[in-house]
Amino acid sequence: MMRAWILPMLLVLCGSAVAAGLIFKGNFGTAAALQLAFLTLAGVNSPLIFPRSIGAREAQRRSVVDGRPVVFWRPGCKYCVRLRIRLGRSARQLYWVDIWRDPTGAAAVRAANDGNETVPTVVVAGQPHTNPAPEWVREQLSPCT
């Protein structure tokens, strides 16, 4: 669980250190812009931008009941961030499983991807799809959800 926060924390700390150095040199504007850039990168790589993760077994159980796709992801994955951002508010209609927090989810991803933990892996109707286009994922949502 702590592993998900390492990259965002490092980005904030590094950005703060670089900004402090620039402030000491009198480059206040550059320091502020750089700190903002590092904070943005930290935010994008934070697990907070994703809907609350649930366990793989629970996600698969719910998906069988209501047909919603299951997204296996991990913090720091630029393709997962791309999918999440491009889905917008409809991302909350999917079931999200953080494979770094759920060993069952990681095993499901490895089984679908020749032993690799390639994410995002989206499971629709029991069929895995590795790194699908966000538009395709949106099309898999039923209009009534």
Side-chain angles (χ1 to χ4, degrees):
M1 182 168 131
M2 188 63 190
R3 184 166 54 168
W5 290 100
I6 291 174
L7 180 60
M9 289 170 50
L10 283 174
L11 288 167
V12 169
L13 290 173
C14 290
S16 298
V18 172
L22 290 170
I23 288 171
F24 285 126
K25 291 181 181 180
N27 298 329
F28 299 105
T30 304
L34 199 58
Q35 183 66 36
L36 182 61
F38 272 90
L39 287 173
T40 301
L41 283 172
V44 166
N45 285 288
S46 165
L48 294 177
I49 70 163
F50 289 89
R52 187 176 74 81
S53 287
I54 61 175
R57 287 188 180 105
E58 179 63 15
Q60 290 164 339
R61 185 192 68 75
R62 291 181 187 183
S63 180
V64 167
V65 171
D66 63 16
R68 293 182 185 185
V70 176
V71 180
F72 293 94
W73 71 285
R74 66 170 171 74
C77 167
K78 66 182 180 180
Y79 301 106
C80 297
V81 170
R82 177 182 141 256
L83 177 64
R84 168 57 186 101
I85 290 171
R86 301 255 320 265
L87 286 174
R89 292 193 310 177
S90 59
R92 300 210 180 279
Q93 297 176 25
L94 293 97
Y95 298 114
W96 294 80
V97 178
D98 180 349
I99 66 167
W100 280 359
R101 296 180 72 187
D102 185 11
T104 304
V109 169
R110 285 192 303 273
N113 294 293
D114 299 321
N116 298 308
E117 289 186 355
T118 307
V119 288
T121 296
V122 179
V123 177
V124 177
Q127 295 298 312
H129 304 271
T130 304
N131 198 15
E135 297 76 19
W136 180 85
V137 175
R138 193 176 296 109
E139 291 170 5
Q140 304 313 303
L141 297 170
S142 69
C144 61
T145 56

